[in-house]
Amino acid sequence: MLEPPSPPDIEGGAWPIGSGDEFIPPVPDAVDLVVETAVMMSVFAAERLTRIDSMRRELLQEAIDRGEGVRDIVERSIRLELAAAMRVTEYAAGRLLARAEALARRYPSALDALSAARITETHAEIIADLLDEAPAELREQLLRRAVPLAESEPVGTFRRALRTLIEAAQATTLEERHHRAVAQRRIMVERGPDAMAGLWIFGPEVEIHAIHNRMTQIAKAIGRVDGETRTLDQLRADVAADLLIDGTTDHLPSEASGIRAQVVVTVPVLALLDDEYADAGESPVVEGIGPIPLSKARELCGGDARWMRVLTHPETGMVLSVGRDSYRPPAALQRLVRWRADRCMGPGCAMPASRCEIDHQIRWADDGETGLDNNLPFCKGHHLVKDNTDWSVRQLEGSGGAVAWTSPTGRQYVVRPERKVPVFTASGSASSRLAGDGADAPF
């Protein structure tokens, strides 16, 4: 999770003062000018949506008490009027009308936040679209959590977090809804230009991600072979065709043989054993996907070795550090680092931690240790930025894994991990209890 940026540090802790007591405001830099424009765009977006909703309500007055048929015609007329006036398509005009009604009528606190430029127009769109998909009785409580979240998170992180909130709020019906949805699984072919086509598979999200994960791993292995010139996308497409048509990987290079999909599932261990604990606790979560039905979690946790089981319980033996004894983090420490972060610790990055590189915050060459306090997952792109630009990155001491990115202009962006690693304290005799906020951790 990403916190809003702090302004550049000013030497001495105060703005410079002139010859007298006159206050001299700071001179905005290039980033300040961009942010100023973004603030104005948010304010104008809120005003536009407010006026669109007012226009719609005013023009709908003539349809009152004249039946649904007349109302539908008037709605179409309004949509056409807006499209023609703004020189956009009727579809785009319809989206604006629906979004304006949602924010002005159902989610006014989100519109207020947009008016004050505390969120962007895209944040507001996400709130309107996703909350409209949630059951009506849950929208108010979700809105109370969604707006503060939108004010602190970048768009990509916010969209995922709000989806997770909505899914968690519906956790009691997730099993039933998933069972109905599985019946809709199917494969479709979509024609494309130049004798091309797309194969679209609609199925359980866990399996779809596992399929993509396996194709990616095989493609990367093939890509490392000398003389290989295909891109990762091209290799993935060729691998999928080979597997589906031939049903074997025997013809692939040895480096790509034996690769299997890996899915990381986090689930309270007692929920695997007793439905009573399952009903009272949090939903099982798959890395990069979100909540899943308990039946699916039990299936994954009882499966073969290709599923990495991350079970949670107050008593655990976690590998936290190996000091300077080893540069490469042991497997247990790598799992813990990735489990805590869930995703790349770059600002706003959506790359799952399972596909990230484990980096030493203080470089090994500079006497950095291999441990939870010094290792973080970064995608290749953010890893390159960290090591080869004027950005500085440091893990905040005592924060449970939060990372502060300081930009070349002096602004600071704090990225917090999805989960906190708990602290264990002695209680009574040999038993132990969990201290802190009650977060669970992997075995």
Side-chain angles (χ1 to χ4, degrees):
M1 301 177 72
L2 177 64
E3 295 184 355
S6 60
D9 293 332
I10 302 298
E11 186 175 356
W15 296 109
I17 302 297
S19 55
D21 292 333
E22 180 184 0
F23 171 74
I24 301 177
V27 177
D29 62 14
V31 178
D32 288 324
L33 296 176
V34 171
V35 171
E36 183 181 49
T37 304
V39 167
M40 291 189 291
M41 290 176 65
S42 293
V43 173
F44 283 128
E47 183 64 21
R48 182 179 69 168
L49 290 168
T50 300
R51 293 185 180 188
I52 287 174
D53 182 66
S54 296
M55 177 204 73
R56 175 178 174 273
R57 287 188 293 114
E58 180 180 329
L59 296 178
L60 274 177
Q61 288 297 314
E62 64 180 80
I64 294 178
D65 299 327
R66 293 175 60 185
E68 284 300 317
V70 173
R71 182 185 176 93
D72 290 343
I73 293 174
V74 174
E75 288 273 19
R76 178 65 188 267
S77 173
I78 294 171
R79 186 166 71 247
L80 176 60
E81 174 84 31
L82 184 63
M86 295 183 65
R87 294 185 294 175
V88 299
T89 65
E90 286 194 50
Y91 173 80
R95 290 276 296 164
L96 281 171
L97 286 162
R99 191 175 303 132
E101 180 190 16
L103 291 169
R105 303 292 133 208
R106 296 190 291 279
Y107 315 121
S109 60
L111 185 59
D112 290 342
L114 181 62
S115 299
R118 297 195 304 271
I119 65 176
T120 69
E121 186 176 10
T122 305
H123 286 94
E125 291 175 9
I126 293 170
I127 289 174
D129 291 345
L130 294 190
L131 291 192
D132 273 357
E133 295 175 4
E137 65 273 14
L138 297 177
R139 291 173 185 168
E140 184 60 35
Q141 71 178 67
L142 288 168
L143 180 64
R144 288 196 293 268
R145 300 183 63 182
V147 173
L149 197 61
E151 293 175 352
S152 64
E153 298 296 336
V155 166
T157 306
F158 171 64
R159 181 184 286 107
R160 293 192 304 273
L162 183 55
R163 284 191 186 279
T164 300
L165 280 178
I166 294 172
E167 290 166 348
Q170 301 179 82
T172 54
T173 61
L174 179 59
E175 190 81 43
E176 179 183 343
R177 289 184 289 112
H178 178 72
H179 181 73
R180 290 198 304 267
V182 167
Q184 304 300 316
R185 62 192 184 278
R186 59 194 180 276
I187 292 180
M188 296 191 301
V189 175
E190 181 178 337
R191 295 189 64 183
D194 304 322
M196 298 291 285
L199 180 66
W200 189 71
I201 305 175
F202 182 74
E205 193 172 11
V206 171
E207 280 82 349
I208 297 299
H209 276 266
I211 290 169
H212 185 269
N213 176 266
R214 186 185 182 199
M215 289 189 297
T216 299
Q217 291 183 58
I218 295 175
K220 286 182 175 180
I222 296 173
R224 290 191 290 267
V225 176
D226 291 340
E228 182 56 64
T229 60
R230 287 172 292 177
T231 67
L232 183 60
D233 279 335
Q234 290 170 345
L235 285 167
R236 262 195 294 246
D238 292 346
V239 166
D242 290 342
L243 290 174
L244 291 173
I245 295 172
D246 298 330
T248 177
T249 60
D250 293 342
H251 62 291
L252 297 176
S254 59
E255 293 85 350
S257 299
I259 291 177
R260 294 294 181 267
Q262 184 182 74
V263 173
V264 181
V265 56
T266 301
V267 53
V269 66
L270 296 179
L272 297 175
L273 308 175
D274 194 320
D275 287 336
E276 179 182 347
Y277 291 100
D279 294 338
E282 296 183 355
S283 300
V285 174
V286 170
E287 180 186 76
I289 297 177
I292 60 171
L294 181 61
S295 61
K296 175 62 69 174
R298 285 171 171 163
E299 174 189 332
L300 298 183
C301 289
D304 58 37
R306 64 184 174 180
W307 306 109
M308 188 177 81
R309 292 166 288 278
V310 183
L311 308 181
T312 62
H313 195 275
E315 298 178 359
T316 183
M318 294 183 296
V319 179
L320 295 178
S321 176
V322 293
R324 296 282 298 172
D325 292 337
S326 172
Y327 169 76
R328 179 177 176 79
L333 179 56
Q334 290 188 44
R335 286 197 297 269
L336 183 57
V337 168
R338 290 190 169 103
W339 175 85
R340 178 179 68 178
D342 190 63
R343 295 184 177 275
C344 167
M345 291 296 287
C349 189
M351 181 70 71
S354 59
R355 295 166 57 188
C356 291
E357 301 168 345
I358 302 296
D359 175 63
H360 285 71
Q361 168 200 317
I362 301 175
R363 296 189 307 168
W364 180 262
D366 296 332
D367 293 330
E369 296 188 353
T370 300
L372 189 62
D373 291 337
N374 196 45
N375 287 118
L376 299 163
F378 293 122
C379 68
K380 192 172 188 66
H382 282 115
H383 199 168
L384 288 171
V385 169
K386 170 187 173 292
D387 289 346
N388 297 281
T389 69
D390 290 332
W391 283 80
S392 67
V393 181
R394 63 187 177 90
Q395 191 170 162
L396 300 177
E397 185 176 354
S399 66
V403 179
W405 287 69
T406 304
S407 74
T409 63
R411 291 168 175 78
Q412 189 176 90
Y413 305 84
V414 177
V415 183
R416 298 193 178 277
E418 289 296 313
R419 307 179 182 96
K420 291 183 179 180
V421 174
V423 176
F424 298 93
T425 58
S427 175
S429 57
S431 62
S432 60
R433 64 180 176 84
L434 183 64
D437 64 355
D440 293 331
F443 279 120

